[in-house]
Amino acid sequence: MTQTDTQRAGGRDTVPRSMRRSFWGAVMTNGAYGSVTGFLFKSQRRQFLLLASLPIFWILFANIGPILQMVRISFLDSYPPTVGYQPQLTLRNWNNFFAERIFIVPYFRTLAYSVVFTVATLIITYPVAYFLAKHVKRSSQLLFLLLLLIPFWVGEIVRTYAIMILLGNNGAVNLILKSLGLIERPIPFMYTSFSLGVGIVYLTALYMLLPLYSALEKIPNTYLEAAADLGAGAWTRFRRVTLPLSKEGIASGCTLVFLISTGYYAAPVLLGGPSTTVFAETIAGFFHVAGDQWPTGAAFSTIMLISALAITGLFLKLIGRSGKGLMQ
Amino acid sequence: MTRNTRVLMSVIYWAFVVYLFVPLVLMVTMGFKDSKFIGFPIRGWTLDWYSEIFRSDEVLGAFGYTMAIALSTTCLSLVIGTWIAAFLGPHKFRGKLIVFALACMPAVIPGIISAISLRIYIQFLQLDTGMAAIILGHTIHNVPFVALVVMARLATLPQSHIEAARDLGADQFVAFSRVTLPYLKPALIGAGVFCMLLSFDDFVRSFFLGSYQPTLPVLIFAKLRSGMSPEINAISTVVLVITAILGIWAERSMRRMNKGTSV
């Protein structure tokens, strides 16, 4: 800094010709640039504030703003605002939730489904992650992982549709069962909690698989060998070594899958039926009809968000992990 | 590990791969079926569905719209995400963990709640539903992913490189532009392609923040509600091919980054 300062003080002529000719040299010797940066970078404190300005603004504006606004609307008796009417504060929207069975049932159904689907995803992907981390040669692990990643890049809608084709009455599963002579009439898989479960597991498996894989991959093979030398059988080795050491991966994977699966909207609409209505569909319903239902929708979204976060928090506490692991 | 469990686990792995791929393969196959009726058996094959969608203004319009949104979202997310990473990465201050958690929040909020809160928020900002609203929604969702990827890369930048630049007379801005930014290039490419992917495939935010013009996933959803048809398979296949290409590209640039390319 001192060097540039003296150069600036000495005027343009003291700057080496080569520096002036290059683009960045020209920028730095430009008087306007010098005064702007001279002002902005004057002190450490100012530099820090400059660097902090956009992130802090963005977090307040984009991350916290929408949530706060949603919570605020949930206490208003009318929104979006109509001309000439001042919205009043009310608890009615929150009360609506307890008033009607058609709201409470989808709510508990969503939480129950999400728990079941999360556990199913964990059970299905654990052996896959273990195989990948411990049995595949390190050099080919990436290739094996890539094979699993490709289907997950495809979006939610396309994958949901793919499951519809798989499970439909004229779908592949029914075709195979029929040609094997196991069934005569197609099994109606679609529009049930089964088709919804297959779909959600299909959509979320990666969010479980990746944290599990990275946790399992970190376990040194020597630990397992040592346990084997000390006479531990396969089951004991799994229960006493592998499982505790992969706890962090299980915690992050379950948290992610649970949170994400409570938030699906298109998959339940397309794969589920009237008997599997989830809370996301209930919430969305308030935004499809005319305006004044918004506050109730906002209250219900808030209830969903609080419940989902509370359950995740409780789960992380039970498993003995702080939320920190999630961020890494 | 005994031989049997090893075999069992490899069977589970391959069964899982089949579970992942079979639905997509079926979906692609159905797009070539010479009948309006989705389902087995397939008696004749045709390319008509593809020639139809490539002539359809509705599909092409949705494609252009989705692409425009994805590109704008990516540019915005890269700038904001990198800025957040540059702020949160090297600096230590009180309450950093909370700021970090808040910065990552949009990535883990359940989709429907994110979409609903944004729908309310754009009303509050007096922004109409449509392209700008979708871009804002997607950007909010994508920024944490960019910030995380860039922070990971930033952590491996040797501090001596910056110091050397400063000793040679560069100020903070020039040092950032000429040392940090080139070093971040692989992370920025990877994160950028990932943003394109997220935006291109997003349904729930586009659905609630969009107006009459649908994005591709919203168009597929709308068509599905009025019944399956091989036309939808053709559109979905196009989406699948685009996302697969983007995905492999993102994967390659991220891997190059992890190998530690030099400045």
Side-chain angles (χ1 to χ4, degrees):
Chain A
M1 203 68 206
T2 35
Q3 198 189 348
T4 39
D5 283 345
T6 44
Q7 276 168 4
R8 216 173 274 139
R12 280 168 157 236
D13 291 339
T14 53
V15 177
R17 284 185 72 84
S18 60
M19 191 170 167
R20 224 185 310 157
R21 247 181 291 145
S22 78
F23 170 74
W24 287 103
V27 166
M28 284 193 60
T29 48
N30 183 303
Y33 174 83
S35 48
V36 170
T37 52
F39 172 75
L40 289 175
F41 300 154
K42 199 172 171 191
S43 64
Q44 284 277 321
R45 195 181 151 74
R46 204 172 269 183
Q47 283 172 30
F48 179 76
L49 288 178
L50 178 72
L51 202 56
S53 58
L54 183 86
I56 298 295
F57 164 75
W58 183 257
I59 289 168
L60 292 175
F61 167 77
N63 298 5
I64 299 175
I67 302 292
L68 282 185
Q69 196 59 25
M70 181 176 81
V71 174
R72 188 178 78 92
I73 298 308
S74 75
F75 291 107
L76 297 181
D77 65 347
S78 152
Y79 199 87
T82 39
V83 184
Y85 179 74
Q86 185 63 39
Q88 306 293 313
L89 289 177
T90 173
L91 281 172
R92 199 192 59 205
N93 311 311
W94 290 73
N95 274 331
N96 281 344
F97 176 70
F98 303 98
E100 301 246 18
R101 246 181 72 86
I102 51 162
F103 298 145
I104 297 178
V105 172
Y107 169 79
F108 282 111
R109 188 183 284 138
T110 303
L111 296 182
Y113 276 180
S114 297
V115 169
V116 172
F117 297 159
T118 305
V119 173
T121 314
L122 176 66
I123 294 170
I124 292 170
T125 52
Y126 200 96
V128 178
Y130 190 90
F131 174 77
L132 213 58
K134 289 286 163 230
H135 290 314
V136 178
K137 262 185 291 163
R138 201 148 275 263
S139 51
S140 30
Q141 272 185 12
L142 213 74
L143 203 68
F144 275 66
L145 199 61
L146 198 65
L147 200 58
L148 300 178
L149 279 172
I150 292 170
F152 283 99
W153 292 324
V154 182
E156 181 190 348
I157 291 290
V158 174
R159 274 188 289 157
T160 306
Y161 182 41
I163 292 288
M164 289 169 79
I165 293 173
L166 180 78
L167 294 179
N169 280 349
N170 296 298
V173 175
N174 272 318
L175 180 82
I176 291 168
L177 290 177
K178 215 190 268 179
S179 63
L180 289 175
L182 292 172
I183 52 168
E184 280 176 7
R185 244 175 293 165
I187 302 174
F189 290 117
M190 276 302 292
Y191 315 116
T192 61
S193 50
F194 176 77
S195 56
L196 184 57
V198 172
I200 299 281
V201 172
Y202 191 56
L203 290 173
T204 56
L206 183 79
Y207 301 109
M208 184 70 83
L209 196 103
L210 287 182
L212 283 181
Y213 166 75
S214 65
L216 287 168
E217 190 222 29
K218 279 189 206 120
I219 302 174
N221 284 330
T222 46
Y223 285 21
L224 295 166
E225 285 157 18
D229 282 349
L230 293 169
W235 171 243
T236 316
R237 285 204 301 272
F238 172 73
R239 202 169 51 87
R240 301 285 300 271
V241 181
T242 315
L243 202 58
L245 287 175
S246 60
K247 207 162 79 174
E248 194 162 310
I250 295 174
S252 338
C254 288
T255 307
L256 279 177
V257 170
F258 179 79
L259 283 176
I260 290 169
S261 61
T262 54
Y264 279 122
Y265 170 67
V269 168
L270 295 172
L271 294 171
S275 62
T276 65
T277 310
V278 295
F279 208 51
E281 292 171 81
T282 311
I283 293 172
F286 293 110
F287 289 82
H288 289 318
V289 288
D292 45 322
Q293 296 272 36
W294 280 31
T296 309
F300 284 24
S301 298
T302 312
I303 292 173
M304 187 78 242
L305 182 62
I306 294 171
S307 321
L309 291 178
I311 292 175
T312 346
L314 200 71
F315 167 72
L316 288 174
K317 200 158 189 127
L318 276 178
I319 204 166
R321 284 282 316 157
S322 64
K324 280 184 206 166
L326 252 189
M327 302 300 177
Q328 285 142 16
Chain B
M1 203 45 72
T2 55
R3 219 187 117 70
N4 282 341
T5 32
R6 200 194 191 96
V7 171
L8 180 71
M9 279 214 264
S10 84
V11 168
I12 293 176
Y13 172 84
W14 288 108
F16 188 69
V17 171
V18 168
Y19 169 59
L20 294 184
F21 276 91
V22 160
L24 293 175
V25 171
L26 288 176
M27 192 211 65
V28 173
T29 316
M30 286 286 174
F32 298 99
K33 188 184 173 185
D34 192 8
S35 148
K36 221 172 156 31
F37 173 71
I38 288 283
F40 289 98
I42 300 177
R43 295 217 167 76
W45 304 88
T46 177
L47 280 172
D48 286 354
W49 301 110
Y50 284 88
S51 58
E52 203 170 281
I53 62 162
F54 284 120
R55 268 177 314 193
S56 149
D57 287 338
E58 190 187 26
V59 176
L60 293 179
F63 176 77
Y65 190 63
T66 316
M67 269 300 182
I69 289 172
L71 286 171
S72 330
T73 302
T74 304
C75 296
L76 281 170
S77 311
L78 281 178
V79 172
I80 300 167
T82 308
W83 197 320
I84 291 179
F87 168 58
L88 285 179
H91 292 87
K92 288 200 165 47
F93 54 89
R94 242 192 308 160
K96 179 175 169 177
L97 198 70
I98 294 168
V99 177
F100 184 65
L102 287 173
C104 294
M105 193 174 65
V108 290
I109 285 191
I112 184 77
I113 294 164
S114 158
I116 293 300
S117 65
L118 287 166
R119 179 67 191 86
I120 293 169
Y121 199 51
I122 60 160
Q123 181 79 35
F124 170 73
L125 298 175
Q126 305 199 329
L127 190 66
D128 283 329
T129 51
M131 195 164 169
I134 300 178
I135 291 173
L136 177 69
H138 286 188
T139 306
I140 292 176
H141 184 241
N142 291 358
V143 159
F145 296 99
V146 177
L148 286 173
V149 172
V150 173
M151 271 171 81
R153 175 72 174 170
L154 208 53
T156 64
L157 170 69
Q159 208 49 46
S160 55
H161 289 196
I162 303 285
E163 281 156 17
R166 298 295 302 279
D167 282 349
L168 292 169
D171 65 22
Q172 285 90 337
F173 175 70
V174 174
F176 181 80
S177 313
R178 299 201 66 190
V179 180
T180 314
L181 221 46
Y183 186 79
L184 290 180
K185 204 172 121 194
L188 293 176
I189 294 173
V193 182
F194 192 61
C195 278
M196 294 269 297
L197 208 63
L198 283 174
S199 172
F200 196 81
D201 281 337
D202 178 74
F203 168 76
V204 73
R205 275 160 281 266
S206 307
F207 183 68
F208 283 98
L209 299 175
S211 57
Y212 297 107
Q213 169 71 54
T215 66
L216 271 180
V218 176
L219 181 72
I220 296 173
F221 180 78
K223 282 183 179 290
L224 272 178
R225 298 217 73 176
S226 54
M228 297 187 186
S229 120
E231 187 202 1
I232 306 176
N233 292 61
I235 304 173
S236 304
T237 306
V238 172
V239 172
L240 187 147
V241 169
I242 293 170
T243 42
I245 291 169
L246 283 175
I248 291 170
W249 184 15
E251 178 65 27
R252 275 188 50 190
S253 40
M254 299 284 230
R255 195 167 41 187
R256 231 176 282 146
M257 163 183 136
N258 290 338
K259 272 186 189 157
T261 33
S262 56
V263 182

